[in-house]
Amino acid sequence: MPAKVVVIGSLNMDLVTRAPRLPRGGETLIGQSFATVSGGKGANQAVAAARLGAQVSMVGCVGSDAYGEALRGALLAEQIDCQAVSTVEDSSGVALIVVDDNSQNAIVIVAGANGALTPEVIDRFDAVLQAADVIICQLEVPDATVGHALKRGRELGKTVILNPAPASRPLPADWYAAIDYLIPNESEASALSGLPVDTLSTAETAAARLIAMGAGKVIITLGSQGSLFADGKRFEHFPAPKVKAVDTTAAGDTFVGGFAAALAAGKSEADAIRFGQVAAALSVTRAGAQPSIPTLPDVQAFKAP
Ligand code: RIB
């Protein structure tokens, strides 16, 4: 049986435009294309873990609209267990995304149904959490729910991963003791630690601070620079495979899902990080959130250029 990954988080329909550059305030740009693509950090991480070898259950909420049906259908198509994906009387979460010619993006999300994922819903699906090997949370659902899920995961003795995305402020101090792996990007690591993070050396200082705050281990993702691992005893830098980027949307989600799937399958931390990085590198060579996420054979066949 493949190892079991449970993802607790958001499902969003991504409304994606491509434009030569990101618009400035008050400016109208002529876009080049538009697409409606299944996304949401939680759902993307669930799809990544499933395509990369894990058995996956999703815990989340969609709206009673056509997007909700499509978001659920996208997960079912990946054989992801959706018994804990509830349909609520609201609009589904949406993300308005602009991707520019340099493959950078800007995103505005509207939570919609994701806001209905309360701690009580987590308790209702406790059996799903009990069956997990690894539990992953992000920050696109209410903070009270994330804190509750992290602590329940810790109580159950599961491996608990928090991808604190999006984060613009420190996390509640009492969450840290429940986190085995904290996986922020540079700006999230900066928001959480209160320190600048723009070089490998500043990333090390921030990671040390996050461990002092109580996180078990920290992996700061550094985009094309790879990632920095810290466990309180040592730091290790993992350079990223070099690829030609088309769209970085969901690269972080692909790393988190791939890392979780590999860790749950028994790989070492170092191998799980390298595996997640190859998956994330492949994802940036393709457009969109879930459509960009590679499969296990894609990762196994990858050869660094
Ligand atoms: O991480 C990428 C995701 O962020 C997109 O799919 C979008 O839905 C936003 O949540």
Side-chain angles (χ1 to χ4, degrees):
M1 275 290 268
K4 189 86 194 269
V5 171
V6 173
V7 181
I8 299 168
S10 58
L11 301 93
N12 294 330
M13 191 55 81
D14 292 352
L15 311 179
V16 188
T17 57
R18 287 204 76 109
R21 57 181 174 74
L22 304 182
R24 287 188 275 272
E27 185 182 29
T28 301
L29 291 177
I30 307 293
Q32 296 145 342
S33 66
F34 172 74
T36 306
V37 182
S38 294
K41 294 186 193 301
N44 295 344
Q45 292 174 20
V47 168
R51 286 193 191 155
L52 295 166
Q55 190 190 340
V56 180
S57 292
M58 178 83 204
V59 183
C61 294
V62 294
S64 52
D65 52 13
Y67 287 165
E69 281 301 298
L71 290 167
R72 180 192 299 278
L75 298 191
L76 291 171
E78 306 291 338
Q79 277 74 52
I80 293 170
D81 165 39
C82 289
Q83 62 172 298
V85 176
S86 308
T87 300
V88 301
E89 282 305 315
D90 199 344
S91 307
S92 293
V94 290
L96 309 180
I97 304 182
V98 182
V99 181
D100 74 11
D101 282 349
N102 294 320
S103 75
Q104 294 308 303
N105 63 46
I107 304 181
V108 176
I109 58 168
V110 180
N114 294 305
L117 188 68
T118 59
E120 293 70 36
V121 178
I122 301 301
D123 288 345
R124 200 183 322 142
F125 294 110
D126 195 61
V128 174
L129 276 65
Q130 287 179 33
D133 295 305
V134 175
I135 292 175
I136 312 177
C137 298
Q138 325 74 33
L139 301 182
E140 287 187 336
V141 296
D143 280 0
T145 307
V146 178
H148 187 73
L150 295 172
K151 290 172 192 168
R152 183 62 183 144
R154 162 63 72 244
E155 260 172 30
L156 290 168
K158 308 301 181 184
T159 298
V160 177
I161 296 176
L162 176 65
N163 169 226
S168 51
R169 59 189 188 288
L171 298 179
D174 65 342
W175 287 13
Y176 280 94
I179 302 168
D180 291 301
Y181 294 94
L182 181 66
I183 311 183
N185 66 15
E186 287 159 284
S187 68
E188 292 151 2
S190 178
L192 268 49
S193 66
L195 298 168
V197 180
D198 44 18
T199 61
L200 203 50
S201 143
T202 54
E204 288 185 356
T205 307
R209 168 77 62 90
L210 294 169
I211 287 178
M213 290 162 88
K217 299 175 185 181
V218 174
I219 303 167
I220 301 182
T221 57
L222 305 165
S224 61
Q225 302 306 307
S227 58
L228 174 80
F229 170 85
D231 64 1
K233 297 189 216 64
R234 68 191 180 90
F235 300 107
E236 187 167 354
H237 176 225
F238 292 84
K242 298 273 172 272
V243 290
K244 188 170 165 9
V246 169
D247 178 359
T248 58
T249 308
D253 298 332
T254 303
F255 174 79
V256 171
F259 172 76
L263 201 66
K267 280 190 197 282
S268 68
E269 282 162 349
D271 285 345
I273 290 171
R274 288 189 198 97
F275 179 86
Q277 287 191 167
V278 170
L282 285 169
S283 79
V284 307
T285 66
R286 305 169 183 163
Q290 290 170 26
S292 74
I293 298 170
T295 62
L296 190 53
D298 292 336
V299 173
Q300 287 164 340
F302 176 79
K303 290 200 177 37

